[in-house]
Amino acid sequence: MTVSVTGATGFIGTRLVQRLHADNHKVCVLTRSKSKAETIFPVKNFPGIVIAEEAGWKDCIEGSNAVVNLAGMPISTRWSPEIKKEIKESRIRVTSKVVDLINSSPQGVRPTVLVSATAVGYYGSGTSETRVFDENSPSGNDYLAEVCREWEGTALKVDKDVRLALIRIGVVLGKDGGALAKMIPLFMMFAGGPLGSGQQWFSWIHLDDIVNLIYEALSNPSYKGVINGTAPNPVRLSEMCNQLGNVLGRPSWLPVPDFALKAVLGEGASVVLEGQKVVPAKAKELGFPFKYPYVKDALKSILS
Ligand code: NDP
């Protein structure tokens, strides 16, 4: 299979491309910066990989069986009005371009699958400590919910004969990146207690599982529509911090203050401090085999 990937140079995309390449699929990396992509995917380790800046996206997409769309400006920054605008517009811009290129590809050579990222932020932050959100739950009212609705709405413009899987991703836990890489130094500094009240929900997923879910969605026709990309056992933040403390061999008694987390994650800290309990109802119904259903095992695999 030939797969074009936007956001391929990011935390999730890099691992996905490695996996696709290792399994002998042909990969087109759709990027804003060829030189950056070439350092991540050097030709000696990734022979045959195609790296294309925007002018080359059309040819790549036309020759692909499937497209994975992961691009977007990171949200864990300080949110000035300009940055908020770019967080939303980067996602709409890239998704819109991908959808236009798929829709205008000639029949017969066009991709038949689009797997497009979105986020559990769709359900709204800080909404409830007791509610459980599945794929049928309504969207929230805050800024990130609005971003996700528009992002998904743009992907939904792909022609109906293209199978669309919208993956609402939770907080991805993996080595050397994502929220965990930023949280750990802070956690070590404060000896690692709960963040904020600790009662808020943390809907997480291991990097291997989100990559496997996207990978499966590429070839399995049952993977369509909205699919929550979260582990089956979300935890309260206090539990997450306890487990993190255990794995790191640190006591978990001093609370990490909200301001410290906001200092490293910016307003993007809201996804950690004001989370929601999201369950992967669709993935479970599809029988997706989660490698890391429990946060303790996920953290052990990442940190030990
Ligand atoms: P990263 O931030 O690691 O990478 C995203 C990629 O998007 C970058 O490598 C870059 O690719 C591209 N990009 C960055 N800024 C812009 C911009 N201003 N305009 C256009 N493209 C840009 O993301 P992740 O791998 O962590 O996540 C992938 C997707 O999944 C993202 O859209 C994210 O919102 C979503 N998601 C991730 C979660 C997580 O915990 N990691 C949780 C929920 C959702 P290049 O420079 O090659 O163009």
Side-chain angles (χ1 to χ4, degrees):
M1 168 163 65
T2 301
V3 186
S4 284
V5 186
T6 76
T9 59
F11 179 47
I12 301 171
T14 301
R15 185 65 72 90
L16 176 69
V17 170
Q18 288 167 347
R19 172 86 200 279
L20 287 165
H21 187 264
D23 287 354
N24 294 317
H25 295 294
K26 195 174 165 211
V27 182
C28 297
V29 169
L30 309 183
T31 181
R32 293 164 306 160
S33 163
K34 196 165 182 174
S35 56
K36 170 181 152 190
E38 282 169 348
T39 57
I40 298 173
F41 306 111
V43 71
K44 67 174 169 37
N45 299 337
F46 295 89
I49 209 165
V50 175
I51 296 175
E53 289 182 349
E54 253 187 275
W57 289 20
K58 181 172 184 287
D59 288 345
C60 280
I61 287 185
E62 280 189 7
S64 294
N65 307 100
V67 179
V68 179
N69 178 39
L70 298 170
M73 184 189 204
I75 65 160
S76 44
T77 47
R78 298 208 155 273
W79 290 359
S80 63
E82 295 73 32
I83 285 180
K84 270 177 96 169
K85 194 162 173 266
E86 181 60 8
I87 284 174
K88 191 203 272 190
E89 288 186 356
S90 59
R91 287 170 171 77
I92 310 293
R93 200 169 55 236
V94 177
T95 306
S96 186
K97 184 165 174 85
V98 163
V99 165
D100 286 350
L101 290 173
I102 294 175
N103 290 350
S104 60
S105 295
Q107 289 289 346
V109 293
R110 64 171 14 191
T112 54
V113 186
L114 170 61
V115 180
S116 204
T118 159
V120 295
Y122 174 90
Y123 302 111
S125 301
T127 32
S128 171
E129 282 181 10
T130 49
R131 268 183 77 185
V132 180
F133 297 88
D134 68 15
E135 287 85 351
N136 294 316
S137 302
S139 184
N141 295 317
D142 57 12
Y143 165 70
L144 285 177
E146 180 190 310
V147 171
C148 292
R149 276 197 306 276
E150 291 192 28
W151 194 9
E152 293 184 13
T154 309
L156 281 162
K157 290 184 182 150
V158 77
D159 284 351
K160 295 296 165 245
D161 60 343
V162 176
R163 178 167 58 82
L164 172 66
L166 284 166
I167 315 287
R168 284 191 192 138
I169 306 175
V171 181
V172 179
L173 304 180
K175 255 192 186 68
D176 307 326
L180 202 55
K182 292 193 169 166
M183 282 164 71
I184 287 172
L186 191 70
F187 205 80
M188 300 298 271
M189 196 158 57
F190 285 94
L195 300 153
S197 75
Q199 288 307 295
Q200 59 281 53
W201 285 95
F202 186 75
S203 295
W204 61 278
I205 185 165
H206 191 289
L207 181 58
D208 287 358
D209 279 329
I210 195 66
V211 167
N212 287 344
L213 189 72
I214 294 169
Y215 192 92
E216 184 66 22
L218 286 171
S219 57
N220 187 330
S222 304
Y223 283 61
K224 58 181 179 218
V226 174
I227 302 171
N228 285 339
T230 57
N233 299 292
V235 288
R236 290 193 188 269
L237 207 47
S238 52
E239 168 74 4
M240 161 76 187
C241 292
N242 267 330
Q243 297 296 351
L244 195 52
N246 286 340
V247 176
L248 293 171
R250 309 281 297 190
S252 177
W253 54 274
L254 238 187
V256 176
D258 291 6
F259 76 80
L261 192 71
K262 283 187 182 139
V264 295
L265 290 181
E267 279 82 346
S270 64
V271 296
V272 176
L273 289 170
E274 300 160 27
Q276 57 291 91
K277 185 178 187 182
V278 179
V279 290
K282 188 83 171 279
K284 281 171 91 175
E285 184 191 310
L286 290 163
F288 176 75
F290 284 94
K291 199 166 147 193
Y292 298 101
Y294 297 103
V295 77
K296 183 178 177 184
D297 299 327
L299 290 172
K300 269 192 191 161
S301 90
I302 295 163
L303 299 168
S304 54

